[in-house]
Amino acid sequence: MVSPAAALSVLLEKCKNVEVNVQQEDQQWSIPLLLHLTSQSDKNGSTPLHFAASLKTSIEGFTSRLCEHFRPKQSPTTLLLGLNESAIYQPDNRGSYPIHVAASNGILKVVITLLKRYPDCATLRDIQGRTFFHVAVEKKRRNIVAYVCERPGFSPILNMQDSHGDTALHLAVKAGVFSIFSSLFRNRQVCLNLSNEDGLTPRDLSWIMIPARLYSKKVIVLCLF
């Protein structure tokens, strides 16, 4: 089975010298076909980079070893970024950027690639005012949350508030996953007492959620009080 990266690599090689005529109003000019294609979006506003950011390209076991000789060294995300870097700043209809998609799907490798090459995409916000970090916490992506919390360079985004005033810690309390909450709670840069639009701090939220039967939520309450 051909991997997405291998198929994309072949396609890019075939089309690398092809140009297409683009017309806007009464003007027409030629641009590289690949630049044109990587800027196009579907009915949901998703570009090829959005889709590439959602791909889990790792293959386990014997199949992985067998494919090493046939797989391109670059991931689909890296290949597309080499063609059109501006796509990293192109949101879909929900205001989600490729880094939000990668975070939502728990694709840490893509998140790292994007953050290293474009550090400012860490502060990009979707239509709900959420950064990729908010999304990672809400979707319970432990690997991404741990990665961010363990690196001092991400301190500026730890306490960002979304459109509802929720920080990542608010969302962690709502999610009730202790490992995610713990990663945030142990980071001294995380503020414990920021209020959201309802005037609730993470501590207040934890108290409200006490009736929940999940043990992890009760442990969170004890940590915050």
Side-chain angles (χ1 to χ4, degrees):
M1 181 177 178
V2 180
S3 71
L8 181 60
S9 181
V10 172
L11 176 62
L12 298 185
E13 181 63 28
K14 294 279 188 182
C15 299
K16 66 179 180 180
N17 296 319
V18 179
E19 293 199 341
V20 62
N21 291 327
V22 176
Q23 186 164 349
Q24 186 174 8
E25 296 180 352
D26 58 346
Q27 293 185 331
Q28 181 174 306
W29 62 94
S30 294
I31 63 172
L33 174 62
L34 293 175
L35 178 61
H36 176 66
L37 291 176
T38 53
S39 300
Q40 300 303 300
S41 56
D42 65 11
K43 64 180 182 180
N44 298 313
S46 297
T47 65
L49 188 58
H50 282 91
F51 287 105
S54 70
L55 291 175
K56 295 183 178 180
T57 56
S58 62
I59 306 174
E60 301 297 334
F62 173 74
T63 305
S64 175
R65 295 191 294 273
L66 183 63
C67 290
E68 284 299 327
H69 298 291
F70 306 99
R71 213 187 319 183
K73 294 181 179 179
Q74 292 182 309
S75 68
T77 299
T78 304
L79 288 169
L80 289 171
L81 287 174
L83 296 169
N84 185 4
E85 292 187 338
S86 65
I88 189 68
Y89 303 108
Q90 190 171 337
D92 63 17
N93 295 345
R94 295 176 298 178
S96 293
Y97 294 86
I99 194 167
H100 289 91
V101 174
S104 179
N105 287 278
I107 317 296
L108 179 58
K109 186 175 181 180
V110 172
V111 169
I112 293 173
T113 296
L114 297 179
L115 290 173
K116 285 186 174 179
R117 295 182 63 167
Y118 312 94
D120 59 335
C121 72
T123 58
L124 292 175
R125 296 174 181 266
D126 65 14
I127 202 169
Q128 297 181 56
R130 301 176 304 177
T131 66
F132 82 96
F133 191 50
H134 286 101
V135 173
V137 173
E138 188 173 57
K139 295 295 184 178
K140 304 177 182 180
R141 303 304 185 183
R142 298 177 180 86
N143 56 343
I144 295 175
V145 175
Y147 175 81
V148 172
C149 288
E150 291 167 2
R151 286 160 179 78
F154 294 114
S155 295
I157 71 170
L158 295 178
N159 298 303
M160 282 189 171
Q161 294 173 281
D162 64 17
S163 300
H164 302 293
D166 286 328
T167 64
L169 188 59
H170 282 92
L171 298 179
V173 172
K174 291 179 182 179
V177 179
F178 185 71
S179 59
I180 290 177
F181 168 80
S182 180
S183 291
L184 285 158
F185 185 72
R186 289 185 286 107
N187 189 307
R188 295 186 178 182
Q189 301 299 316
V190 174
C191 295
L192 305 181
N193 297 310
L194 286 177
S195 299
N196 62 17
E197 65 177 13
D198 296 319
L200 300 174
T201 66
R203 175 183 292 181
D204 298 328
L205 276 176
S206 69
W207 179 257
I208 291 172
M209 296 176 70
I210 279 181
R213 295 181 179 179
L214 293 178
Y215 171 76
S216 58
K217 291 184 178 178
K218 295 179 181 180
V219 176
I220 289 172
V221 173
L222 293 176
C223 290
L224 288 171
F225 278 85

